[in-house]
Amino acid sequence: MALPDPSQHLNAAQRRAATFGLSPGVPALPGQALLVVAGAGTGKTTTLAHRVAQLVLHGADPARLLLLTFTRRAADEMRGRASAILAVHGRRSSKPSLELDWAGTFHGIAARLLREYADRIGLDAGFTILDRAAAEDVLDLVRADLGLDRSPRRFPTKATCLAAYSRAVNADLPLSAVLARDLPWLLPVADPLAELCAAYVAAKQRQALLDFDDLLLWWAEVLGVPTLAAEIGARFDFVLVDEFQDTNPLQGRILHRLKPDGRGVTAIGDDAQAIFAFRGATVRNIRDFPNACDPPAAIVTLEENYRSTQPILDLANAVLRQSTQGYRKALRCARASRQRPWLVVARDEAAQAAYVAEQVLATREAGMPLRDQAVLARTAAHTARLEVELARRDIPFVKYGGLRFLEAAHVRDMLALVRFLENPRDRVSGFRLLKLLPGVGPAFARRALDAVAAGGASIQGLAELPPPPAAAQPWRELLDLLAADLGWPAQLGAVRRFYERLMVELYGPAPDRLLDLDQLEAMAALHATRRGFLDEVGLDPPAAHGDLAGIPHKDDDYVVLSTIHSAKGREWRAVYLLYVVDGWIPSDLATGHAEELEEERRLLYVAVTRARDQLHLLQPLRVWLRPQGSGSDRWVAAARSRFLPADLLHLLEARAWPPPTAGGGTTAGTTVDIAAAVRARWR
Ligand code: ATP
Ligand code: MG
């Protein structure tokens, strides 16, 4: 009996993409490249999962598939989906999910390959990965070493300098070109900035540190060596990339060098959802892809949206139609509904938060679990008020894309300690760690680190230094900790005991901080080695606010709070979008350039297309504003987002909040039926 075709439920175009180049009974061979371009919710990611499954069914070795996704969570989901599809076919493996060894983000895969090839490319295999904040700290030290912090005119901050550096790397352009194009106000300091970048690179190399950008840069450079490119390219028969519209030129180059003729490559994306230009991503990767392949890539487009109801899509289409850029034609769908998206005109921000909290609960009462509901915002800070409201009402939530857990000072302290244990050459971590001790200032910290460096990155040198008197006790404890051979994750427990005492002295007692330390311990226990742990926290930091705390109780129900950027590729049955007002969406940081404004419009499109059944757009009428650089707060009247002009309003159903009470007058978009009330008296 023939086994069921696991892709039989796909539509014709999806099936064509999933089985492109494959024939029944013929082993899968890498052939002509394939590009799938299609709008939101048309099943691109679904199709990619089917393609993975189909390749495996046709004999492709899962260990020789390279799957590149935008987040690690997306890679994990893909594994799950592809194994589920294989299970339909009766190929249920004994393992819970398909062994896709090489599924992850560009950065994650880069880290892995670089570790493996380290000794062949002159890289210390023990390198540690700097997250953004740690990279800023390294740059800051270099900036001080060069005396730039004392220059007569104020030199740009570490964050600005790193942003300029990072842009140049990711855009694959010289610094001067990036400054002229994107950051012209930095042109007067172009020379010292270039010097700073060079010194930053040298400092990282001396200390065996790689920042995020280095991961891509080093990978691209490795692939610039023909023999290594051939060797690494040959390890993968098939390379599949999701969310291709949000890759940058460096990632484009990596893909091209990995598979110069594009054989075996499948790239998937949607140019109308490109929202990472501010980080150097470019839709040119998608547009140029077909002709960069030899033979040129085949293109499959998907038309049918399976996610959202028609009224939600009508709004999404209308938002894009306002744009001058010719995006693909409108999405159509099979899911009719009479419910238009709501435009909730809230009296102020408190009313906005109250509306969401009440609606979330009411919707759950109506049978939709909290986890099918999400609140999206342009930036993480926009959910602050709501977080308080949710906490007050005991509504559990997790937050994505917010203030990262790993940005908290005490978590960074702990990690500095662990990083220093892993790599004693890491001066920034050493510096941070030493300065935690009472009585230790920059001068002593520097001397201590010099002693470590002089001893060939050994901590022996420390033992001979007399510590500042106030630090005598913790200094001894620290030396013991550095010398102890405890194994992993036991070592983290020791680090924690050492640090906890310092923490209370530094920040005072705080149960929340202890909880964060618990979370670190829980994470550490998931890794067999210290390095594995550091790679994980460096590359894919969990968010603060219980992202991890939620994990032990998988069946816990919670609302998701997310930035629009972090909501990419995901969907919920109900979506609440906060602050659909000018200055928030579009962000007033972006209204300068027409291009930036277009990106803001695409952000709204991405937000709207996350919703399956219900969409609530929130428009607070009054918002509390603290103008930058001034200490004063003020209330301002907010205007509806310019992306929702009057001629789109017929696509929305207006709702005032709090609802007008009898005698309370009317609010925009609602009418109180007084006549009916008068009639009712006589009934
Ligand atoms: P995005 O642009 O947001 O990344 P996408 O194009 O990747 O979206 P998917 O996430 O793959 O779209 O699919 C959207 C929804 O449509 C999912 O719930 C998926 O299960 C469903 N879907 C996709 N294809 C089909 C199909 N052929 N039949 C029924 N449902 C489908
Ligand atoms: Mg997708």
Side-chain angles (χ1 to χ4, degrees), residues 27 93 155 278-279 309 394 451 468 506 521 600 633:
S93 63
F155 200 74
F278 75 101
R279 269 209 223 144
T309 62
D394 237 354
L506 286 165
E521 275 198 276
E600 296 287 312
D633 300 330

Side-chain angles (χ1 to χ4, degrees), residues 45 242-243 569:
T45 304
D242 199 4
E243 306 275 7

Side-chain angles (χ1 to χ4, degrees), residues 39-46 78 81 242-243 268 273 307 568-570 610:
T42 51
K44 294 183 298 297
T45 304
T46 306
M78 187 69 75
R81 285 208 214 182
D242 199 4
E243 306 275 7
I268 292 199
Q273 290 187 72
R307 178 180 293 147
K568 227 166 81 118
R570 308 188 63 196
R610 298 308 96 200

Side-chain angles (χ1 to χ4, degrees), residues 8 99 111 117 154 165 193 578 654:
Q8 63 187 340
E99 292 281 317
Y117 284 83
R154 204 176 75 84
Y165 166 84
L193 190 57
L578 303 182

Side-chain angles (χ1 to χ4, degrees), residues 390-401:
L390 293 174
R392 201 171 64 76
R393 299 183 193 222
D394 237 354
I395 304 176
F397 64 92
V398 296
K399 187 171 172 181
Y400 294 111

